[in-house]
Amino acid sequence: MSPRTRVVVLVAAAAAVAAGAVVGGTLLQTRGQSTVARGAIVKPRAGYPPLELDFGVRADAQARALAQAQRLYNGGKVTQAASIFSRYASLEARIGSAFAAWRKGGGLAAMTRLADESPHSSLAALHLGWASYWAGRNADAVAAWTKAAQLEPDTPYAVDAQDALHPDDVPGLPLLVTGLEPPAALQRLPAAQELAALAGAAAKPDARARLVYGSALWNLKRPLSAERAFESAARLAPHDPLARTAAAVGAFTKSDPVRAFGRLGPLTGVFPRSPVVRFHLGILLLWTGDRKKAVTQLRLAAADGPQTVYAKYADALLEKLGKNGP
């Protein structure tokens, strides 16, 4: 996965990712595999386990180097990646080295040691899950991913662990469209500074600023922090369908999607002609695999607000879905 170089991604890019995820399926599905196996231990998988390092808004030299190494590794240039990983002693680099040496043997043992040394790290637990899975130890993989999802739930690694545990769902957090952007001056800042500026703006009683900040956190796969920002925005603007919708979507988890649906569904009655509610209800349905109902909600979103950003992206998703089966 390529690192995020900006805090706030364009809605168009997010929509493209979402549509692509619907078409491509999850990492496991593209390999014709599943976390559900007949036995707890099966034949080891071929090739190398996937590496999922996320550097967020970091732009330091090591983060840039390790991001490059990850691209090389996931692109099949393992030897080149290994030479970069070997230069650093961080947990990310050591995991990269363990995975790059996978075919030499001992990769699972090395990853187990790293996880034992970092018992509170979702990063370590996530990759122990991938190492276990690639070694054919399915039950151990599920246990490690479950731990990764629980240890640091407000991190990209917990989100990635949820993806591994739910391979039939669209990967990542649900697409969230606000139509809001930070001031242009902030968008020209380095990502870490932009995020800090957004946090400062969100410290004021400003629902819009909190929605923008929450969206940035959501795009960085920090769901709990994002949810808190959305909740505070909804408290400031209880009659705003966007704020209420964002708070509902922010409650989504793949392990317990009912919580988000239970909050978003009733908003169709509170805001009966609001495309933002219908669009995101369609997104949640899409993320949990109910394409038929998702299509219905996306069509309603397009009809209720034909000139809105929600209609634009609903139409784009409907077109993608139409080209790739019901």
Side-chain angles (χ1 to χ4, degrees), residues 127-147:
H127 287 89
L128 176 59
W130 281 121
S132 299
Y133 183 78
W134 238 252
R137 306 182 68 88
N138 292 346
D140 290 346
V142 169
W145 287 329
T146 300
K147 185 177 181 181

Side-chain angles (χ1 to χ4, degrees), residues 167-183:
D168 292 331
D169 294 345
V170 176
L173 296 173
L175 173 64
L176 181 66
V177 176
T178 66
L180 303 176
E181 292 186 8

